[in-house]
Amino acid sequence: MEFAKRMNHFSEGIFTKLLDIKRRRLEQGQPVIDLSVGTPNIPPAPHIMNALCEAAADPANYIYAVNDQSDLLQAASDWYKERYHVELDPQTEICSLLGSQEGLAHISLSIVDEGDLVLVPDPCYPVFADGPLLAGAELYYMPQKEEHNYVIQLHEIPEAVAERAKFMLVSYPNNPTTAMAPDSFYEELIAFAKKYSIIVLHDNAYSELVFDGKTCGSFLAYPGAMDVGIEFNSLSKTYGLAGARIGFCLGNANVVSMLKKLKSNMDYGMFIPIQRAAIAAITGDQTDVGRVRAIYEERRDMLCEGFAKLGWLIDKPEATMFIWTRIPAHYSTSEQFATELVTKAGVIVTPGSAFGPSGEGYVRLALVQDVEQLQQALDAVRDSGILMAD
């Protein structure tokens, strides 16, 4: 059998290795605490689950959705106006996604042709690069460096690269680095995109997971943003709906229109009961959003302070559901450290190298376990001696 050459871009690599170690430990009855994948373990608020259950009990809701229901689009428009102070036409400037991952994987197909250049952050959430690669694009990595607080330095992008670029992906609060960007970055980004006629996609999945009393808005709220691009938003982390796969593409009508056209040839829309759950989430009582934020902040504090006591000093992230930090100095690679961490302590984290070239030397920890499990992880790491240099 012969398969598509594009599949050569993708491999399981370190994730398969870590999962194999996890499987073997579990088979031997040894504990495993998985902090690798950002899978939220906080369920939705009751009113969201009730909306889903009620709609699922209606036999009429098992037809093809085909299109987004008008009240879903209106709810998303109202949500952006209320939460982000952004005015959006529900019919032309919004479409649903079967999760942000689906949108990120497919949108390049509606924008770039084979050989076109796409700008992606480095390190980055893997599908930022994988989506353009599926479309046959060439990638240019925009470094997110610790010395610049992980904010992309747009002025460092070579003129020749900028002139070739057709599309760029940006995301703050950022996964994996957890960084936030200042207003000045977005102002520079919009001017940069206009100068070089580049379409911008801003992923805003973590705008509600911002800690220490800080807040975060929307890329679309900045003057000129709607002229150059779109934003993806997700209900996965904010509302505990990760498995329901609910996201939105919002912004420039031309970009939204092309994505809608592509999706009309790929899927039959979001299951209607899930649309009802989405409406309940973004139009209902928002009290639970603050509760979820507080839970992640408590987990962040526990891990960072706990590891500090063990000699691994980690700066507290200001946002997201992750911790991004340098590996202990006596390890040479992030994969080596991640492998020893699961082998000796039963704690799984993601090596930074999985997020691109600039991720080497770092690891990402996902705050996806309750505080009891996090304490077990701290105890296991302490007992393993892995943080002690030989």
Side-chain angles (χ1 to χ4, degrees):
M1 295 181 182
E2 292 187 7
F3 297 94
K5 292 183 177 63
R6 70 176 61 88
M7 295 308 298
N8 295 332
H9 293 297
F10 310 105
S11 63
E12 295 173 321
I14 181 60
F15 292 102
T16 299
K17 182 178 179 180
L18 292 173
L19 288 174
D20 284 344
I21 297 172
K22 176 181 179 179
R23 176 182 52 77
R24 289 197 298 272
R25 285 185 64 91
L26 291 173
E27 288 174 349
Q28 296 166 4
Q30 296 177 301
V32 175
I33 299 173
D34 196 340
L35 306 179
S36 63
V37 182
T39 304
N41 70 335
I42 305 171
H47 71 275
I48 301 173
M49 292 190 285
N50 289 339
L52 176 61
C53 292
E54 290 173 9
D58 184 348
N61 286 336
Y62 287 81
I63 60 172
Y64 287 129
V66 183
N67 297 312
D68 295 326
Q69 295 192 319
S70 59
D71 50 353
L72 175 66
L73 296 174
Q74 186 61 55
S77 176
D78 294 342
W79 173 45
Y80 254 65
K81 182 176 181 180
E82 174 69 22
R83 170 60 182 85
Y84 301 106
H85 310 295
V86 173
E87 298 270 0
L88 293 165
D89 184 323
Q91 297 304 315
T92 63
E93 296 176 336
I94 304 173
C95 77
S96 73
L97 306 169
L98 303 180
S100 292
Q101 179 96 353
E102 176 265 318
L104 288 163
H106 291 146
I107 191 168
S108 293
L109 295 171
S110 71
I111 296 176
V112 302
D113 293 310
E114 190 164 346
D116 283 342
L117 186 65
V118 175
L119 309 180
V120 299
D122 174 32
C124 73
Y125 183 51
V127 77
F128 282 15
D130 292 346
L133 288 173
L134 281 171
E138 178 185 337
L139 302 184
Y140 177 86
Y141 285 105
M142 302 178 290
Q144 296 185 126
K145 298 179 180 179
E146 187 173 357
E147 57 264 37
H148 299 306
N149 298 316
Y150 300 108
V151 175
I152 297 166
Q153 302 298 292
L154 296 171
H155 64 274
E156 294 182 356
I157 298 173
E159 185 91 8
V161 170
E163 288 175 346
R164 279 192 59 205
K166 193 171 183 181
F167 179 39
M168 66 189 300
L169 296 104
V170 178
S171 180
Y172 296 102
N174 184 257
N175 175 12
T177 71
T178 77
M180 294 174 64
D183 290 345
S184 59
F185 169 77
Y186 289 105
E187 293 161 0
E188 184 182 356
L189 173 65
I190 292 164
F192 179 85
K194 287 186 174 182
K195 178 179 179 180
Y196 295 106
S197 299
I198 301 172
I199 295 172
V200 176
L201 190 164
H202 181 260
D203 184 34
N204 200 22
Y206 300 98
S207 65
E208 300 299 349
L209 297 185
V210 179
F211 310 127
D212 305 316
K214 298 177 183 178
T215 59
C216 177
S218 165
F219 160 67
L220 299 179
Y222 291 89
M226 294 279 289
D227 298 331
V228 298
I230 56 168
E231 181 162 274
F232 278 8
N233 211 320
S234 168
L235 306 194
S236 293
K237 283 74 178 180
T238 303
Y239 298 101
L241 286 162
R245 312 309 304 134
I246 306 170
F248 292 97
C249 171
L250 317 98
N252 182 277
N254 292 325
V255 181
V256 171
S257 172
M258 293 305 291
L259 182 57
K260 281 184 177 181
K261 183 177 180 180
L262 176 71
K263 284 175 61 63
S264 72
N265 289 278
M266 299 184 74
D267 64 63
Y268 282 109
M270 185 185 294
F271 185 38
I272 292 173
I274 293 180
Q275 293 195 43
R276 307 314 300 177
I279 294 168
I282 59 180
T283 64
D285 185 358
Q286 301 296 297
T287 303
D288 215 50
V289 174
R291 182 184 70 87
V292 170
R293 181 186 307 115
I295 290 172
Y296 282 117
E297 188 166 349
E298 179 186 19
R299 294 175 180 181
R300 175 203 68 167
D301 292 347
M302 183 177 185
L303 270 189
C304 290
E305 293 168 10
F307 279 125
K309 292 177 182 177
L310 299 179
W312 190 16
L313 301 180
I314 299 173
D315 292 333
K316 290 183 178 180
E318 56 186 342
T320 79
M321 57 187 294
F322 304 107
I323 292 171
W324 177 255
T325 186
R326 287 188 177 274
I327 61 176
H330 54 286
Y331 285 93
S332 57
T333 69
S334 57
E335 183 173 337
Q336 177 199 19
F337 175 63
T339 301
E340 288 210 21
L341 192 63
V342 65
T343 302
K344 296 183 177 181
V347 177
I348 306 180
V349 301
T350 305
S353 54
F355 299 100
S358 294
E360 182 52 74
Y362 297 82
V363 287
R364 191 195 73 177
L365 295 77
L367 302 171
V368 293
Q369 303 291 346
D370 296 335
V371 291
E372 293 79 12
Q373 284 71 45
L374 295 182
Q375 185 60 56
Q376 291 174 21
L378 290 168
D379 293 343
V381 171
R382 179 199 62 209
D383 295 343
S384 73
I386 192 173
L387 298 181
M388 302 295 291
D390 293 332

